[in-house]
């Protein structure tokens, strides 16, 4: 069954691949020649015209004047290479007298046809490469007389279909690379006899769908590359037999949905790449069995929310990227089980707020990337337990100030990136101002500038004086708090235990006053704030309900502004 593929315009990625292909052509030629010249002594006798022979066993042929396989190649050759010749066809029995040949390479030739018995007689061949040719098709029996073949590389040609029986006799294959062709269709039984295969590369083709059980016989496969195709969905069970798989590349496809049990049997997987797809939602248990996963990348998708428990089974992950999605917030505790996580990428989302428990459990974290979000508020306890953090980027956000003491636990820090935020240079910035002056070696202080007030616009914060922040003397701050009893009920015996409350007050400027209180809320809490002025007073009421199953610490923030 043939699947039509819509035409697409050439993208910058296509241009890059073309450039890489051209560079690879020149590099291969240069490297091969240099290697052979450097390691082996050259001789001239009995060597075909336009070829170089080394120790009688390695022959290197190159040049546009070579139109066919030379007939005078030494009989005992073990490695034969053709680079940028004008050979267009490999005829039957082209190598019949070279039984000792173990490696045969065709790189950037003009081969457009291979006879079915072209490799007849090469019973000891272990490595065959046909790369960068205008080859469109391969007959089913093309490799049937290569019983010792372990490495087959048919890349960057123009092959459209992988036929049935093509690999039926190459049962010792360990590596099969078919990337960079125009493959749209693969016979469902094409890989049936490749039980020894360790790596299969189908990347950079035109594949739109995977047939169920296509990989069912590849029980020893370690690496599967399906990147940069047009795959829209993965049938459940497609990977169920790949229990030895350690690396799966799916980036650059059109996946918009990952089924709940898609990766369920991939218990040995260590690396999963889902970059640049169209994934909008992830099932909460999609990674639940992947206990050996170390590296997970889901950046450049369309994910808006992370379900609770999504990462609970990933205790060994050290690197996680969720960059360039559409998340507006991070559920508290969603990373709690990632006890070995060292690098976390959250840049390029739409995150506005970081709560105190956002990064709970990430004691091993060393690098945290939060740039290019819409961060306006970061709770003062957000980095409380991240004592191993060494690098954090907060640039290109909407931060105007930071809570007092927010960086104090980060005693292993070597770099904090803070530029390109609208820092408001009044008394609310006092903590950050002092921190910058005391830690100029940790950040690009010259790039951190005021966005206001007007008289300080674009002035580097490090050049300010404390007086310019317009902070009043400490004695001017008179605060008084009055609150009722706050109790929490534990257990069936309804014993009541008093819970301590903490409140902090900050006079931001001459007209604004911030009150922050931390309360333990189990069910409902009613908040009354009374403002007294001479003989008049005004009381504000607010109710908060904890909808969780247990008690939770709740931060209550009020900003009081006089007019």
């Amino acid at each position: 069954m043939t699947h039509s593929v819509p035409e697409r315009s050439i993208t910058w990625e296509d241009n890059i691949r073309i450039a890489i292909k051209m560079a690879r052509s020149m590099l291969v030629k240069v490297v091969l020649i240099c290697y052979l010249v450097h390691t082996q002594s050259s001789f001239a006798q009995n060597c075909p015209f336009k070829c170089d022979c080394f120790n009688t066993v390695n022959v290197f042929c190159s040049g546009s004047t070579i139109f066919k396989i030379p007939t005078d190649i030494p009989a005992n050759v073990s490695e034969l290479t053709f680079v940028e010749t004008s050979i267009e066809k490999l005829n039957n029995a082209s190598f019949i007298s070279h039984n000792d040949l173990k490696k045969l390479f065709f790189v950037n030739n003009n081969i457009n046809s291979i006879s079915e018995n072209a490799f007849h007689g090469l019973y000891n061949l272990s490595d065959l490469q046909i790369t960068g040719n205008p080859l469109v098709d391969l007959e089913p029996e093309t490799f049937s007389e290569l019983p010792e073949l372990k490495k087959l590389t048919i890349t960057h040609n123009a092959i459209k279909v992988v036929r049935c029986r093509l690999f039926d006799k190459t049962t010792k294959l360990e590596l099969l690379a078919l990337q960079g062709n125009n493959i749209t269709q693969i016979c469902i039984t094409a890989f049936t006899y490749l039980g020894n295969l360790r790596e299969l590369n189908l990347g950079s083709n035109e594949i739109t769908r995977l047939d169920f059980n296509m990989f069912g016989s590849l029980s020893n496969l370690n690496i599967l590359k399906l990147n940069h195709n047009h795959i829209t969905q993965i049938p459940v069970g497609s990977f169920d037999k790949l229990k030895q798989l350690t690396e799966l590349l799916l980036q650059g496809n059109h996946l918009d949905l990952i089924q709940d049990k898609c990766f369920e049997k991939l218990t040995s997987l260590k690396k999963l790449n889902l970059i640049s797809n169209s994934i909008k939602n992830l099932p909460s248990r999609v990674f639940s069995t992947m206990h050996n996963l170390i590296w997970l990348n889901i950046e450049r998708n369309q994910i808006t929310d992370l379900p609770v428990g999504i990462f609970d089974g990933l205790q060994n992950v050290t690197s996680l990227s969720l960059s360039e999605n559409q998340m507006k917030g991070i559920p508290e505790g969603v990373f709690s089980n990632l006890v070995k996580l060292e690098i976390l990428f959250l840049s390029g989302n739409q995150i506005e707020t970081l709560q105190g428990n956002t990064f709970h459990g990430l004691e091993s974290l060393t690098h945290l990337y939060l740039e290019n979000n819409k961060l306006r508020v970061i709770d003062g306890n957000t980095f409380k337990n991240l004592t191993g953090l060494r690098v954090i980027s907060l640039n290109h956000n909407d931060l105007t100030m930071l809570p007092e003491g927010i960086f104090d636990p980060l005693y292993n820090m070597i770099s904090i990136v803070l530029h390109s935020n609208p820092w408001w240079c009044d008394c609310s910035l006092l903590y950050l101002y002092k921190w910058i002056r005391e830690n100029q070696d940790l950040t690009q202080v010259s790039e951190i500038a005021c966005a206001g007030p007007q008289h300080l616009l674009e002035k580097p914060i490090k050049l300010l004086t404390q007086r310019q922040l317009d902070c009043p003397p400490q004695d001017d701050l008179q605060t008084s708090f009055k609150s009722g009893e706050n109790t929490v009920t534990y257990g069936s015996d309804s014993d009541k235990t008093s819970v301590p409350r903490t409140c902090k007050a900050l006079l931001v400027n001459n007209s604004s006053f911030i009150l922050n209180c931390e309360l333990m809320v189990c069910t409902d809490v009613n908040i009354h704030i009374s403002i007294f002025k001479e003989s008049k007073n005004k009381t504000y009421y607010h109710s908060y309900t904890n909808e969780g199953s247990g008690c939770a610490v709740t931060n209550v923030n009020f900003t009081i502004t006089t007019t």
Side-chain angles (χ1 to χ4, degrees):
M1 179 177 179
T2 303
H3 301 274
S4 62
V5 179
E7 295 184 0
R8 61 185 179 90
S9 59
I10 296 178
T11 66
W12 64 271
E13 291 179 331
D14 295 323
N15 290 328
I16 289 176
R17 282 198 286 270
I18 292 170
I20 291 174
K21 184 175 179 180
M22 296 174 62
R24 186 187 292 114
S25 166
M26 298 182 65
L27 182 61
V28 167
K29 183 176 179 180
V30 172
V31 170
L32 284 173
I33 293 175
C34 291
Y35 171 76
L36 293 172
V37 170
H38 177 71
T39 58
Q40 305 185 55
S41 60
S42 177
F43 72 100
Q45 59 270 31
N46 300 324
C47 194
F49 181 66
K50 290 291 183 180
C51 297
D52 294 301
C53 300
F54 304 86
N55 289 347
T56 74
V57 295
N58 293 330
V59 178
F60 183 92
C61 301
S62 178
S64 59
T65 58
I66 300 175
F67 290 91
K68 62 180 181 178
I69 305 297
T71 58
D72 53 347
I73 296 173
N76 63 339
V77 64
S78 64
E79 185 171 330
L80 179 57
T81 302
F82 294 91
V83 175
E84 295 184 349
T85 72
S86 296
I87 297 174
E88 294 184 356
K89 183 176 182 179
L90 299 182
N91 296 311
N92 284 330
S94 294
F95 310 96
I96 188 64
S97 61
H98 302 98
N99 296 332
D100 294 332
L101 196 62
K102 290 182 170 58
K103 296 183 178 181
L104 178 58
F105 303 138
F106 296 93
V107 181
N108 293 351
N109 296 276
N110 290 321
I111 300 171
N112 56 51
S113 175
I114 299 177
S115 298
E116 199 167 67
N117 294 314
F119 304 117
H120 176 69
L122 299 182
Y123 302 116
N124 293 305
L125 194 71
S126 61
D127 190 350
L128 173 61
Q129 177 178 345
I130 305 174
T131 292
N133 293 275
L135 184 62
V136 175
D137 195 14
L138 291 168
E139 294 297 325
E141 302 294 326
T142 301
F143 309 116
S144 62
E145 297 190 52
L146 302 176
E148 296 299 318
L149 199 63
K150 293 184 178 180
K151 182 178 180 181
L152 178 57
T153 305
I154 313 291
T155 59
H156 302 286
N157 296 287
I159 296 171
K160 296 180 179 179
V161 177
V162 177
R163 297 183 179 275
C164 299
R165 306 197 318 277
L166 186 60
F167 309 117
D168 283 7
K169 302 294 180 62
T170 56
T171 57
K172 292 187 179 181
L173 267 186
E174 295 179 0
L175 183 148
L176 175 58
L178 297 169
Q179 80 267 22
N181 286 282
N182 298 320
I183 297 172
T184 60
Q185 184 179 353
I186 301 174
C187 172
I188 193 171
T189 61
F191 310 128
T192 298
Y193 298 97
L194 301 183
N196 290 304
L197 202 65
R198 298 292 189 273
E199 179 175 341
L200 174 59
N201 191 339
L202 294 168
S204 299
N205 280 288
E206 306 291 332
I207 302 169
T208 58
R209 63 185 296 270
L210 300 176
D211 287 306
F212 176 75
N213 209 33
M214 178 184 292
F215 310 117
S217 301
L218 306 181
S219 56
N220 289 303
L221 196 68
N222 300 135
I223 300 173
L224 176 57
K225 299 180 180 181
L226 295 165
N227 52 291
H228 296 100
N229 280 281
H230 304 289
I231 301 169
T232 57
Q233 62 177 335
I234 300 173
V236 174
S238 296
F239 305 135
D240 281 5
K241 300 296 179 62
L242 306 182
K243 296 184 179 180
Q244 302 300 318
L245 199 68
T246 58
E247 184 174 332
L248 176 59
L249 275 59
L250 288 163
Q251 73 269 27
N253 280 284
H254 302 312
L255 295 169
D256 59 0
L257 176 66
I258 302 293
Q259 300 287 340
D260 191 14
K261 296 184 179 181
C262 182
F263 307 128
E264 184 180 30
K265 304 297 183 181
L266 299 181
T267 54
S268 298
L269 202 67
K270 294 183 177 180
K271 180 178 181 179
L272 177 58
N273 192 330
L274 293 166
I275 296 174
S276 295
N277 279 280
S278 303
I279 302 169
K280 297 179 177 64
N281 298 294
L282 290 168
S284 61
R285 295 187 55 79
V286 67
F287 306 125
S288 62
T289 61
M290 304 172 77
H291 305 305
N292 289 301
L293 201 67
I294 294 174
W295 190 93
L296 175 59
N297 197 320
I298 324 176
E299 67 185 46
R300 295 203 290 275
N301 280 278
Q302 300 172 25
I303 298 170
T304 56
D305 299 293
L306 293 175
V308 176
I310 181 69
F311 303 124
D312 282 1
L314 306 182
Q315 296 91 337
N316 287 301
V317 165
T318 60
S319 177
L320 171 62
S321 179
L322 294 161
S323 293
E324 296 183 55
N325 279 280
Q326 298 175 16
M327 298 183 296
K328 293 184 178 181
I330 304 293
E332 289 192 85
V334 73
F335 304 123
S336 293
N337 281 19
L338 301 180
V339 294
K340 293 185 180 179
L341 190 67
E342 297 175 1
I343 306 174
L344 177 58
F345 297 90
L346 293 169
S347 51
N349 280 278
Q350 301 174 32
I351 302 169
E352 298 178 356
T353 303
L354 294 177
Q355 303 294 333
N357 289 323
T358 297
F359 304 119
H360 174 71
L362 300 184
E363 282 82 4
S364 299
L365 199 67
T366 60
H367 293 68
L368 177 59
Y369 299 95
L370 288 158
E371 72 272 14
N372 292 299
N373 277 283
K374 296 182 179 180
L375 280 172
R376 294 181 296 104
V377 178
I378 302 179
D379 187 277
N381 293 319
T382 298
F383 309 131
K384 179 175 61 176
N385 296 317
L386 306 184
T387 55
L389 204 60
R390 297 170 62 81
V391 174
I392 181 171
S393 62
L394 291 166
N395 51 295
H396 291 93
N397 278 285
D398 296 327
L399 295 168
T400 58
M401 54 87 70
L402 288 173
E404 184 172 354
I406 191 170
F407 295 146
D408 292 357
L410 308 182
Y411 47 80
N412 284 307
M413 188 61 58
I414 61 174
S415 176
I416 297 182
V417 187
L418 296 167
H419 66 82
S420 302
N421 279 283
W423 302 113
W424 193 260
C425 295
D426 62 9
C427 197
S428 64
L429 203 72
L430 182 60
Y431 168 76
L432 181 60
Y433 165 77
K434 290 181 177 179
W435 186 91
I436 288 174
R437 292 176 67 88
E438 295 171 1
N439 298 275
Q440 296 194 37
D441 57 327
L442 301 186
T443 189
Q444 309 98 315
V445 293
S446 61
E447 300 178 10
I448 308 171
C450 300
Q454 184 63 36
H455 66 282
L456 297 177
L457 184 64
E458 297 184 0
K459 186 164 186 176
I461 292 176
K462 72 167 186 175
L463 299 179
L464 298 178
T465 65
Q466 187 166 334
R467 178 173 295 181
Q468 286 177 298
L469 295 180
D470 198 25
C471 289
Q474 192 66 29
D475 291 343
D476 289 352
L477 185 59
Q478 300 293 331
T479 62
S480 133
F481 306 106
K482 186 176 182 180
S483 60
E485 283 298 318
N486 183 19
T487 58
V488 182
T489 301
Y490 297 98
S492 58
D493 56 354
S494 299
D495 290 334
K496 292 186 176 180
T497 305
S498 295
V499 177
R501 302 170 304 277
T502 58
C503 288
K504 296 179 181 179
L506 174 65
L507 188 63
V508 176
N509 49 45
N510 290 333
S511 60
S512 295
F513 179 80
I514 295 177
L515 174 63
N516 173 272
C517 291
E518 189 176 86
L519 306 173
M520 181 72 76
V521 180
C522 294
T523 53
D524 300 326
V525 61
N526 294 316
I527 302 168
H528 299 174
I529 293 185
S530 296
I531 300 176
F532 297 89
K533 185 176 181 181
E534 296 178 353
S535 61
K536 299 179 181 179
N537 70 78
K538 190 169 186 178
T539 302
Y540 298 88
Y541 299 91
H542 180 75
S543 297
Y544 172 79
T545 300
N546 175 19
E547 297 179 352
S549 58
C551 302
V553 175
T554 302
N555 284 296
V556 181
N557 293 279
F558 288 94
T559 300
I560 302 169
T561 302
T562 60
T563 57

Coordinates of all heavy atoms in Angstrom, one line a residue, residues 103-140:
K103 N 35.2 -5.2 3.5 CA 34.6 -3.9 3.6 C 34.5 -3.3 2.2 O 35.5 -3.3 1.4 CB 35.4 -2.9 4.5 CG 35.4 -3.4 5.9 CD 36.2 -2.3 6.8 CE 36.2 -2.8 8.2 NZ 36.9 -1.8 9.1
L104 N 33.3 -2.8 1.8 CA 33.1 -2.3 0.5 C 32.3 -1.0 0.6 O 31.1 -1.0 1.1 CB 32.3 -3.3 -0.4 CG 31.9 -2.9 -1.8 CD1 33.2 -2.5 -2.6 CD2 31.2 -4.0 -2.5
F105 N 32.9 0.1 0.2 CA 32.2 1.4 0.3 C 32.0 2.1 -1.0 O 32.9 2.2 -1.8 CB 33.1 2.4 1.2 CG 33.4 1.8 2.6 CD1 34.7 1.9 3.1 CD2 32.4 1.1 3.3 CE1 35.0 1.4 4.4 CE2 32.7 0.6 4.6 CZ 34.0 0.7 5.1
F106 N 30.8 2.7 -1.2 CA 30.5 3.6 -2.3 C 30.0 4.9 -1.8 O 28.9 4.9 -1.2 CB 29.4 2.9 -3.2 CG 29.9 1.6 -3.9 CD1 29.6 0.4 -3.3 CD2 30.6 1.7 -5.1 CE1 30.0 -0.8 -3.9 CE2 31.0 0.5 -5.7 CZ 30.7 -0.7 -5.1
V107 N 30.8 5.9 -1.9 CA 30.4 7.2 -1.4 C 30.3 8.3 -2.4 O 31.3 8.6 -3.1 CB 31.4 7.7 -0.3 CG1 31.0 9.0 0.3 CG2 31.5 6.6 0.8
N108 N 29.1 8.9 -2.6 CA 28.9 10.0 -3.6 C 29.3 9.6 -5.0 O 30.1 10.3 -5.6 CB 29.6 11.2 -3.1 CG 29.0 11.8 -1.9 OD1 28.0 11.4 -1.4 ND2 29.7 12.8 -1.3
N109 N 28.8 8.5 -5.5 CA 29.0 8.1 -6.9 C 27.7 8.5 -7.6 O 26.8 9.2 -7.1 CB 29.3 6.6 -7.0 CG 30.6 6.3 -6.3 OD1 31.7 6.5 -6.9 ND2 30.6 5.9 -5.0
N110 N 27.5 7.9 -8.8 CA 26.3 8.1 -9.6 C 25.4 6.8 -9.7 O 24.7 6.6 -10.7 CB 26.6 8.6 -11.0 CG 27.2 10.0 -10.9 OD1 26.7 10.9 -10.2 ND2 28.2 10.3 -11.8
I111 N 25.5 5.9 -8.8 CA 24.9 4.6 -8.8 C 23.4 4.8 -8.8 O 22.8 5.3 -7.8 CB 25.3 3.7 -7.7 CG1 26.9 3.5 -7.8 CG2 24.6 2.4 -7.7 CD1 27.4 2.8 -6.6
N112 N 22.7 4.3 -9.8 CA 21.2 4.4 -9.9 C 20.6 3.0 -10.0 O 19.4 2.9 -10.0 CB 20.7 5.3 -11.0 CG 21.3 4.9 -12.4 OD1 21.2 3.8 -12.8 ND2 21.9 5.9 -13.1
S113 N 21.5 2.0 -10.1 CA 20.9 0.6 -10.3 C 21.9 -0.4 -9.8 O 23.2 -0.2 -10.0 CB 20.7 0.4 -11.8 OG 20.3 -1.0 -12.0
I114 N 21.4 -1.4 -9.1 CA 22.2 -2.5 -8.6 C 21.6 -3.8 -9.0 O 20.5 -4.1 -8.6 CB 22.4 -2.5 -7.0 CG1 23.0 -1.2 -6.6 CG2 23.2 -3.6 -6.5 CD1 23.1 -1.0 -5.1
S115 N 22.3 -4.6 -9.8 CA 21.8 -5.9 -10.2 C 21.6 -6.8 -9.0 O 22.3 -6.7 -8.0 CB 22.8 -6.5 -11.3 OG 22.9 -5.7 -12.4
E116 N 20.7 -7.7 -9.2 CA 20.3 -8.6 -8.0 C 21.5 -9.4 -7.6 O 21.6 -9.7 -6.4 CB 19.1 -9.5 -8.5 CG 18.4 -10.0 -7.3 CD 17.1 -10.6 -7.7 OE1 17.1 -11.7 -8.4 OE2 16.0 -10.1 -7.3
N117 N 22.4 -9.8 -8.4 CA 23.5 -10.6 -8.1 C 24.9 -9.8 -8.1 O 25.9 -10.4 -8.3 CB 23.6 -11.8 -9.0 CG 22.5 -12.8 -8.8 OD1 22.1 -13.1 -7.7 ND2 21.9 -13.2 -10.0
A118 N 24.8 -8.5 -7.9 CA 26.0 -7.7 -8.0 C 27.0 -8.1 -7.0 O 28.2 -8.0 -7.2 CB 25.6 -6.2 -7.8
F119 N 26.6 -8.6 -5.8 CA 27.5 -8.9 -4.7 C 27.8 -10.4 -4.6 O 28.2 -10.9 -3.6 CB 27.0 -8.4 -3.4 CG 26.7 -6.9 -3.4 CD1 25.4 -6.4 -3.2 CD2 27.7 -6.0 -3.7 CE1 25.2 -5.0 -3.3 CE2 27.5 -4.6 -3.7 CZ 26.2 -4.1 -3.5
H120 N 27.5 -11.1 -5.7 CA 27.7 -12.6 -5.7 C 29.2 -12.9 -5.4 O 30.1 -12.3 -6.0 CB 27.3 -13.2 -7.1 CG 27.6 -14.6 -7.2 ND1 26.9 -15.6 -6.5 CD2 28.5 -15.3 -7.9 CE1 27.3 -16.8 -6.8 NE2 28.3 -16.6 -7.7
G121 N 29.4 -13.8 -4.5 CA 30.8 -14.2 -4.2 C 31.4 -13.6 -3.0 O 32.5 -14.0 -2.5
L122 N 30.8 -12.5 -2.5 CA 31.3 -11.8 -1.3 C 30.8 -12.4 0.0 O 30.2 -11.8 0.8 CB 30.9 -10.3 -1.4 CG 31.4 -9.6 -2.6 CD1 31.0 -8.1 -2.5 CD2 32.9 -9.7 -2.8
Y123 N 31.2 -13.7 0.2 CA 30.7 -14.4 1.3 C 31.3 -14.0 2.7 O 30.8 -14.4 3.7 CB 31.0 -15.9 1.1 CG 30.3 -16.5 -0.2 CD1 31.1 -17.0 -1.2 CD2 28.9 -16.4 -0.3 CE1 30.5 -17.4 -2.4 CE2 28.3 -16.9 -1.5 CZ 29.1 -17.4 -2.5 OH 28.5 -17.8 -3.7
N124 N 32.4 -13.2 2.6 CA 33.1 -12.8 3.8 C 32.8 -11.3 4.1 O 33.4 -10.7 5.1 CB 34.6 -13.0 3.7 CG 34.9 -14.5 3.8 OD1 34.5 -15.3 4.7 ND2 35.6 -15.0 2.7
L125 N 32.0 -10.6 3.3 CA 31.8 -9.2 3.4 C 31.1 -8.9 4.7 O 30.0 -9.5 5.0 CB 31.0 -8.6 2.2 CG 31.0 -7.1 2.1 CD1 32.4 -6.6 1.7 CD2 30.0 -6.6 1.1
S126 N 31.6 -8.0 5.6 CA 31.0 -7.7 6.9 C 30.5 -6.3 6.9 O 29.6 -5.9 7.8 CB 32.0 -7.9 8.0 OG 33.1 -7.1 7.9
D127 N 30.9 -5.4 6.0 CA 30.6 -4.0 6.1 C 30.4 -3.4 4.7 O 31.3 -3.4 3.8 CB 31.7 -3.2 6.8 CG 31.3 -1.8 7.1 OD1 30.3 -1.3 6.6 OD2 32.1 -1.1 7.8
L128 N 29.1 -3.0 4.4 CA 28.8 -2.5 3.0 C 28.1 -1.1 3.2 O 27.2 -1.0 4.0 CB 27.8 -3.4 2.3 CG 27.2 -3.0 1.0 CD1 28.3 -2.7 0.0 CD2 26.2 -4.0 0.4
Q129 N 28.7 -0.1 2.5 CA 28.1 1.2 2.5 C 27.9 1.7 1.1 O 28.7 1.7 0.3 CB 29.1 2.2 3.3 CG 28.6 3.6 3.3 CD 29.5 4.5 4.1 OE1 30.4 4.0 4.8 NE2 29.4 5.8 3.9
I130 N 26.6 2.2 0.9 CA 26.3 2.8 -0.3 C 25.6 4.2 0.0 O 24.4 4.2 0.4 CB 25.3 2.0 -1.2 CG1 25.9 0.6 -1.4 CG2 25.0 2.6 -2.5 CD1 25.0 -0.4 -2.1
T131 N 26.3 5.3 -0.1 CA 25.9 6.6 0.4 C 26.0 7.6 -0.6 O 27.0 7.7 -1.4 CB 26.7 7.0 1.7 OG1 26.4 6.1 2.8 CG2 26.4 8.4 2.1
G132 N 24.9 8.5 -0.7 CA 25.0 9.7 -1.5 C 24.9 9.4 -3.0 O 25.7 9.9 -3.8
N133 N 24.0 8.5 -3.4 CA 23.8 8.1 -4.8 C 22.4 8.4 -5.2 O 21.5 8.5 -4.4 CB 24.2 6.6 -5.0 CG 25.6 6.3 -4.8 OD1 26.5 6.5 -5.7 ND2 26.0 5.9 -3.6
P134 N 22.1 8.4 -6.5 CA 20.7 8.6 -7.0 C 20.0 7.3 -7.0 O 19.1 7.1 -7.9 CB 20.9 9.2 -8.3 CG 22.2 8.7 -8.8 CD 23.1 8.6 -7.6
L135 N 20.2 6.4 -6.1 CA 19.6 5.0 -6.1 C 18.2 5.1 -5.6 O 17.9 5.5 -4.5 CB 20.5 4.1 -5.2 CG 20.1 2.6 -5.1 CD1 20.2 2.0 -6.5 CD2 21.0 1.9 -4.1
V136 N 17.3 4.6 -6.5 CA 15.8 4.7 -6.1 C 15.3 3.4 -5.6 O 14.4 3.5 -4.7 CB 15.1 5.1 -7.4 CG1 13.6 5.1 -7.1 CG2 15.5 6.5 -7.9
D137 N 15.8 2.3 -6.0 CA 15.2 1.0 -5.6 C 16.2 -0.1 -5.4 O 17.3 0.0 -5.9 CB 14.2 0.6 -6.7 CG 13.3 -0.5 -6.3 OD1 13.1 -0.7 -5.1 OD2 12.6 -1.1 -7.2
L138 N 15.8 -1.1 -4.6 CA 16.7 -2.2 -4.3 C 15.8 -3.5 -4.5 O 14.8 -3.6 -4.0 CB 17.2 -2.2 -2.9 CG 18.3 -1.1 -2.6 CD1 18.5 -1.1 -1.1 CD2 19.6 -1.4 -3.3
E139 N 16.4 -4.4 -5.3 CA 15.6 -5.7 -5.6 C 15.6 -6.5 -4.3 O 16.6 -6.5 -3.5 CB 16.3 -6.4 -6.7 CG 16.2 -5.7 -8.1 CD 14.8 -5.6 -8.5 OE1 13.9 -6.5 -8.2 OE2 14.4 -4.5 -9.1
P140 N 14.6 -7.4 -4.1 CA 14.5 -8.2 -2.9 C 15.7 -9.1 -2.6 O 16.0 -9.3 -1.4 CB 13.2 -9.0 -3.2 CG 12.4 -8.2 -4.1 CD 13.4 -7.5 -5.0

